[in-house]
Amino acid sequence: MNKLFGAKKKPAPEVKAPSLQETSTKLGTSAKVLESKVNDCTRQVNEIKMQMKKQTGVAYKNSQRKAFTILKRRKMYELQLNTLLNQQFNVDQVQFSSETIQNTI
């Protein structure tokens, strides 16, 4: 009968939810990565600006287009960073509130 319908599945092991402290640290490390990406984009734009001072015509337009795409990417990273920092702030506030409640009980 087991060959036809199969045996009972074993229950999935319970996965323990990460603590608020762990979540906050993970968000912090992700924020550091995004900050480095924003700084890298800024550095690339500054390099292109220096190159654009020496260029004219088609090369200037190509460099301008490249700088514009890098600025778009930097803007996207900054928005992600702001969202991540807001999430980290909220997690820290919840952690603080739970600790305060535990202390008052």
Side-chain angles (χ1 to χ4, degrees):
M1 194 58 110
N2 283 340
K3 290 183 180 180
L4 183 59
F5 295 109
K8 286 187 177 181
K9 292 184 180 179
K10 295 179 182 177
E14 292 184 26
V15 179
K16 186 177 178 182
S19 69
L20 292 174
Q21 183 65 32
E22 292 172 352
T23 305
S24 180
T25 4
K26 285 181 184 178
L27 288 173
T29 55
S30 298
K32 287 180 184 177
V33 169
L34 282 174
E35 284 176 2
S36 68
K37 288 183 179 183
V38 167
N39 292 337
D40 187 43
C41 286
T42 304
R43 183 188 50 79
Q44 288 177 355
V45 167
N46 289 336
E47 289 175 3
I48 291 174
K49 279 184 184 179
M50 297 300 283
Q51 291 173 0
M52 286 173 64
K53 290 179 181 177
K54 302 172 189 171
Q55 295 174 339
T56 59
V58 176
Y60 181 83
K61 289 289 184 184
N62 288 338
S63 295
Q64 190 177 24
R65 189 177 316 116
K66 189 184 297 183
F68 188 66
T69 57
I70 293 172
L71 286 172
K72 282 183 181 178
R73 192 176 333 130
R74 185 179 79 179
K75 176 98 172 163
M76 180 190 65
Y77 287 147
E78 287 173 346
L79 291 173
Q80 288 178 357
L81 180 63
N82 287 337
T83 304
L84 203 62
L85 291 176
N86 287 336
Q87 288 174 352
Q88 185 179 16
F89 176 76
N90 290 338
V91 167
D92 290 340
Q93 287 298 315
V94 168
Q95 181 181 3
F96 178 74
S97 299
S98 67
E99 288 174 2
T100 305
I101 290 171
Q102 291 296 326
N103 290 338
T104 57
I105 292 178

